[in-house]
Amino acid sequence: FFLQDDWRWKPNLMFSAGLRLEGQNRIRDHADWAPRLAVAWSPKHSPDAAAKTVIRAGYGWFYNRFTVPNTFSTDSGTPYLDQLIHNNLINGVGYVVQCPCSFDPTAVHPPTDISPIETPTYQSIDRRFRAALDMQAGIGVDRQISGNITANLTYLYTQGVHQFLMNNVNAPAFDTATYTTTSPAPPIYNYQFQSGGFYRQNQLVATANAHASHIALNAIYVFGLTKSDTQGATYVPSIAQNPGLDYGPARFGYRHHFLLLSTYTGPWGIVFGSLLVAQSGTPYNITIGSDLTGNRQFNARPTYGQCGAIDVMTTPYGCLDTNPAGKGERIVPYGVGTGPANVVYHIRISKVIGVGPRIKTAAQGQTYSEDGSSVSGRGLSGGSGSVRLNQ
């Protein structure tokens, strides 16, 4: 349910307000209220001409549904709710296998004597689970630079709460000071969907549009700073009891992003279209590849060790200890790595060639017969009426 109203208080000042109500079954909250507020103001207003400068500001809440891993992909994957039904320990059960040589895939499961190396797992959902909420505020200015060029500069601040993650809720207790588990491993692991994640994002967005008789250009540049303690609904924190320890650069936040779209119409109706996309590297996490925290995810991070010591590797990020248990060293922050920049360029050349007879357009009050001649003033039945073609 959505309600919105725009109120033009003055010719150069308009307010907008909206309220949206969302709901979803199978999760705790069934009433997500999402307010929106916005204002648009033109400093110099002329009743005889369009405003060349418009300042806009707004604030709103936006919810993300607990549905599928990626709604923007053609292969969206298995819905999360389906996973809960399939892996609920009744309809199905999974196993964490630390050594493949100890696991017999032909055996009937659940086995009568479960080895500690073969730990059963299942999935559940937190009874306090709710939809992820993005709270966004922005302010920007639109400017008509000339008759053919417009530009916009906008600052956006977004804070996300109740973000999705998956946590091993009965993983053994872990001491970050000594990097060791302090309780025995459980006989079964419960991977639970939770909504306790958080992220903060700052973005500066600049856009420009230019067009002439034969060419059109559209450019977008985004500078962003994004930090989060979760990377999605299936992200498992490295330490179950402290998900906030993974707060760092988010994989979904690029520092620089640039897009240029151009279209040029050449001679003989040939159209040249191009798309240029360039972005800085994606942040990535540095892990040891071992399960040192007891969450059975093998995503433990190294610590800063003494250069030259045993199990310490020299890297561009410092001397990293791959076996930090019991040494009391500082854990490497989440997402300290940055991948390579990416540039993609597409170009398309096209020309439309008509095939068959040219389609004629009937004037108002006229129709066309099968031979293409016009018929006016009389209906199909020969009466005094007429049949008109919608234009």
Side-chain angles (χ1 to χ4, degrees):
F1 175 79
F2 184 75
L3 176 67
Q4 178 173 318
D5 183 53
D6 297 331
W7 176 39
R8 188 176 295 278
W9 184 35
K10 294 181 178 180
N12 64 333
L13 181 62
M14 185 175 70
F15 295 95
S16 299
L19 184 63
R20 182 183 179 94
L21 174 62
E22 299 183 11
Q24 179 183 348
N25 64 339
R26 293 186 180 269
I27 64 176
R28 179 178 175 86
D29 64 325
H30 302 296
D32 295 322
W33 295 94
R36 288 89 185 275
L37 297 171
V39 59
W41 173 60
S42 176
K44 297 181 179 180
H45 173 71
S46 174
D48 300 327
K52 291 188 175 182
T53 302
V54 180
I55 300 174
R56 306 179 189 274
Y59 177 77
W61 287 13
F62 307 91
Y63 289 94
N64 296 311
R65 295 292 102 201
F66 183 65
T67 52
V68 296
N70 185 0
T71 57
F72 298 100
S73 173
T74 55
D75 181 16
S76 58
T78 304
Y80 301 133
L81 294 174
D82 286 2
Q83 294 184 33
L84 291 170
I85 297 173
H86 294 164
N87 305 319
N88 61 359
L89 202 59
I90 299 175
N91 297 326
V93 61
Y95 291 88
V96 175
V97 182
Q98 289 184 278
C99 177
C101 60
S102 68
F103 187 78
D104 183 5
T106 62
V108 178
H109 291 284
T112 56
D113 182 17
I114 298 179
S115 168
I117 301 178
E118 303 172 7
T119 308
T121 67
Y122 71 100
Q123 294 180 348
S124 64
I125 187 169
D126 187 1
R127 61 183 181 85
R128 298 164 297 182
F129 190 92
R130 58 180 303 170
L133 171 60
D134 298 335
M135 300 177 289
Q136 186 174 84
I139 184 170
V141 55
D142 297 333
R143 176 64 181 176
Q144 181 81 34
I145 299 176
S146 66
N148 298 329
I149 302 176
T150 60
N152 169 272
L153 184 64
T154 299
Y155 167 74
L156 295 175
Y157 172 79
T158 309
Q159 181 169 296
V161 297
H162 308 303
Q163 301 299 301
F164 303 146
L165 58 94
M166 178 184 286
N167 204 355
N168 189 344
V169 295
N170 57 353
F174 184 81
D175 186 0
T176 56
T178 61
Y179 219 106
T180 56
T181 55
T182 58
S183 64
I188 190 170
Y189 289 100
N190 176 10
Y191 289 101
Q192 186 180 84
F193 284 107
Q194 298 180 348
S195 58
F198 173 84
Y199 82 88
R200 181 180 287 115
Q201 184 179 59
N202 292 273
Q203 290 180 303
L204 188 64
V205 184
T207 64
N209 301 283
H211 62 89
S213 57
H214 296 284
I215 190 171
L217 298 174
N218 299 275
I220 301 175
Y221 169 74
V222 181
F223 173 80
L225 296 173
T226 308
K227 287 190 174 183
S228 175
D229 60 7
T230 177
Q231 310 300 324
T234 57
Y235 177 80
V236 180
S238 58
I239 298 177
Q241 296 80 15
N242 188 8
L245 192 65
D246 290 355
Y247 185 75
R251 290 199 301 258
F252 55 85
Y254 302 102
R255 182 65 59 88
H256 304 280
H257 183 86
F258 177 74
L259 182 146
L260 177 62
L261 178 66
S262 64
T263 303
Y264 173 72
T265 303
W268 307 292
I270 300 177
V271 179
F272 299 85
S274 67
L275 173 64
L276 171 66
V277 180
Q279 63 188 25
S280 56
T282 305
Y284 65 85
N285 192 30
I286 298 177
T287 61
I288 300 174
S290 301
D291 176 27
L292 300 183
T293 64
N295 66 353
R296 289 300 185 268
Q297 288 299 301
F298 313 101
N299 59 355
R301 300 196 298 276
T303 57
Y304 291 109
Q306 183 178 357
C307 297
I310 299 176
D311 298 325
V312 176
M313 300 180 60
T314 302
T315 72
Y317 306 100
C319 297
L320 306 183
D321 193 343
T322 61
N323 186 23
K327 298 180 181 179
E329 299 167 338
R330 185 168 65 94
I331 301 175
V332 173
Y334 182 90
V336 297
T338 303
N342 297 273
V343 178
V344 179
Y345 182 70
H346 301 272
I347 187 169
R348 182 182 68 178
I349 303 175
S350 62
K351 176 176 172 56
V352 177
I353 300 176
V355 178
R358 183 179 297 275
I359 299 176
K360 297 182 179 180
T361 302
Q364 187 173 5
Q366 292 183 332
T367 62
Y368 278 103
S369 62
E370 293 183 359
D371 62 358
S373 60
S374 63
V375 178
S376 62
R378 303 187 66 83
L380 295 178
S381 61
S384 59
S386 64
V387 177
R388 297 181 179 179
L389 299 181
N390 293 327
Q391 299 185 66

